Amino acid sequence: MLRFRNLLVLLVALFCGTASGQVHVIGETSLITCSGTLVESSDGTGYPTDTVLMTTICGDGAGSRIALSFNAFQLPDEDGQGDTLFIYRGSDESGVLIGSFTGSELQDTLITSTIAGTERCLTLVLRTKAAGSGTLSATNTCLPE
């Protein structure tokens, strides 16, 4: 049942389209948008080592919630000491932790916010240890309640 629901959400996201959206780099503090792409760097040089990059994405309309579709995800994981992406439901790290991801765990995965209050937003926190060697690309769309 959960797989069917995820498939349905993905199909809605694909029909909404994101071709006209902007490209944003993880670390941009707060984004209010219903279309775009989030990447690890804007020029292909990668991200800094030993740092924390945080981005919160919220929909640009009342009643909208965020869906992130990860079309590229590969973070180095060297004996559990690699880069990790934490995703929270809500407008900061005090929200519900959806999960912590490394390696290729999020490749071809859809993550959505909920419809309750500030949990319509998603907060992504990338904690880096490797020198910018990971790949991250996620398109975002807004879904109705």
Side-chain angles (χ1 to χ4, degrees):
M1 184 65 165
L2 183 58
R3 286 180 190 242
F4 177 74
R5 182 176 161 255
N6 286 343
L7 178 62
L8 182 61
V9 170
L10 177 61
L11 289 174
V12 169
L14 290 173
F15 284 119
C16 291
T18 59
S20 63
Q22 292 184 309
V23 175
H24 300 281
V25 179
I26 192 160
E28 291 181 35
T29 309
S30 182
L31 303 173
I32 299 174
T33 181
C34 279
S35 66
T37 302
L38 183 68
V39 295
E40 81 282 348
S41 68
S42 61
D43 59 2
T45 60
Y47 45 80
T49 186
D50 293 321
T51 192
V52 177
L53 302 168
M54 184 168 90
T55 298
T56 298
I57 303 173
C58 299
D60 62 5
S64 60
R65 58 190 181 114
I66 292 295
L68 286 176
S69 178
F70 288 86
N71 47 41
F73 189 85
Q74 181 63 52
L75 298 182
D77 182 23
E78 301 155 10
D79 300 324
Q81 299 299 312
D83 300 340
T84 305
L85 179 67
F86 298 85
I87 302 177
Y88 301 87
R89 282 196 176 101
S91 56
D92 57 33
E93 291 177 272
S94 67
V96 174
L97 177 65
I98 294 172
S100 57
F101 307 94
T102 192
S104 60
E105 293 176 310
L106 280 179
Q107 181 71 37
D108 299 322
T109 300
L110 182 71
I111 303 287
T112 64
S113 62
T114 62
I115 59 174
T118 60
E119 289 190 4
R120 288 186 175 143
C121 302
L122 291 174
T123 296
L124 291 82
V125 179
L126 177 61
R127 297 184 189 278
T128 70
K129 295 193 186 244
S133 59
T135 301
L136 181 155
S137 177
T139 55
N140 74 285
T141 56
C142 285
L143 302 173
E145 288 188 36

